[in-house]
Amino acid sequence: IVMWAGDWKELEEGAAKVTVELASEYDYIPLIETTHYIQSEARLIRPFDEEAKQEYLNAALEFARKYEPPYLGFGIEVNIIYENSPEDFQEFVSFYNNLYDVIKKVSPNTKVFTVFQLEKIKGMSFWVEEPPNKEKEEWFLLEMFNSDLAAFTTYPSLVYKNPSDIPANYYSEIKEHTNKPIAFTEIGWHSTQFPLDWE
């Protein structure tokens, strides 16, 4: 699988288009993700107003109709939006669920999904040694979206200092909260010596 992730409005432009078009030549499965939010800056890329929604809808529909991609994701780590801006999150949920239905009509075999940040959905805090907080769990967000997959990013080094500290059920726990196929779109262990004592 080769993944492209980027600004939703850029679906019709270079990289996403090339990723899909080269798939058969290089024998890989393209997975395309779009976003309208920058998690690291806790802000929308542009106002999520009616004009932007229409542009996003048009770009997604045109892309799905033209390429019929096997995987098409809308929203990356959307539970971060929920934490930072519940109003923007609710707007996105409504828009996404409508978009899901429309995409399935023009490209019924495309697996449509959104992506969650796993450590946050588990109720974990970053860079501290403490167990998950049940009161902070966000599993209920999974049920708010029509989707063909339960997709996640995961960076266990945000909460564990050593890989050997990761519980055996760290990933299998997801099956307690969804019956959908599970996908990981990002998995990583930080290589920078930051923060202090988490080298």
Side-chain angles (χ1 to χ4, degrees), residues 67-85:
Y67 296 108
E68 298 183 355
Y71 297 98
L72 191 52
F74 300 101
I76 300 172
E77 299 183 333
V78 295
N79 48 322
I80 304 299
I81 306 172
Y82 167 76
E83 293 179 7
N84 293 333
S85 179

Side-chain angles (χ1 to χ4, degrees), residues 42-182:
R43 68 171 180 85
L44 295 166
I45 294 174
R46 59 190 59 82
F48 198 53
D49 55 23
E50 293 308 311
E51 181 181 351
K53 289 178 186 177
Q54 192 60 52
E55 289 178 347
Y56 291 153
L57 178 66
N58 292 344
L61 272 177
E62 179 61 27
F63 192 84
R65 186 181 290 115
K66 184 174 182 179
Y67 296 108
E68 298 183 355
Y71 297 98
L72 191 52
F74 300 101
I76 300 172
E77 299 183 333
V78 295
N79 48 322
I80 304 299
I81 306 172
Y82 167 76
E83 293 179 7
N84 293 333
S85 179
E87 287 183 14
D88 288 330
F89 177 79
Q90 290 298 335
E91 280 282 309
F92 176 71
V93 172
S94 175
F95 177 76
Y96 168 91
N97 285 329
N98 177 63
L99 178 64
Y100 175 91
D101 294 337
V102 174
I103 293 291
K104 296 302 273 189
K105 286 177 183 174
V106 300
S107 185
N109 293 324
T110 295
K111 303 288 189 216
V112 181
F113 61 96
T114 193
V115 182
F116 299 90
Q117 206 297 311
L118 182 64
E119 283 70 32
K120 283 289 189 177
I121 218 167
K122 284 173 166 278
M124 297 176 150
S125 298
F126 295 169
W127 312 123
V128 294
E129 291 184 276
E130 61 184 37
N133 184 336
K134 288 285 185 189
E135 293 180 6
K136 290 184 178 180
E137 286 186 357
E138 300 168 346
W139 293 109
F140 66 94
L141 298 177
L142 294 173
E143 301 305 316
M144 298 177 74
F145 292 88
N146 297 329
S147 63
D148 300 309
L149 307 169
F152 302 90
T153 68
T154 176
Y155 292 91
S157 62
L158 294 169
V159 292
Y160 296 106
K161 290 184 176 180
N162 296 294
S164 60
D165 297 334
I166 301 172
N169 70 339
Y170 192 71
Y171 294 113
S172 61
E173 177 192 10
I174 298 169
K175 290 192 266 186
E176 297 173 14
H177 303 280
T178 184
N179 293 321
K180 294 176 182 175
I182 297 166

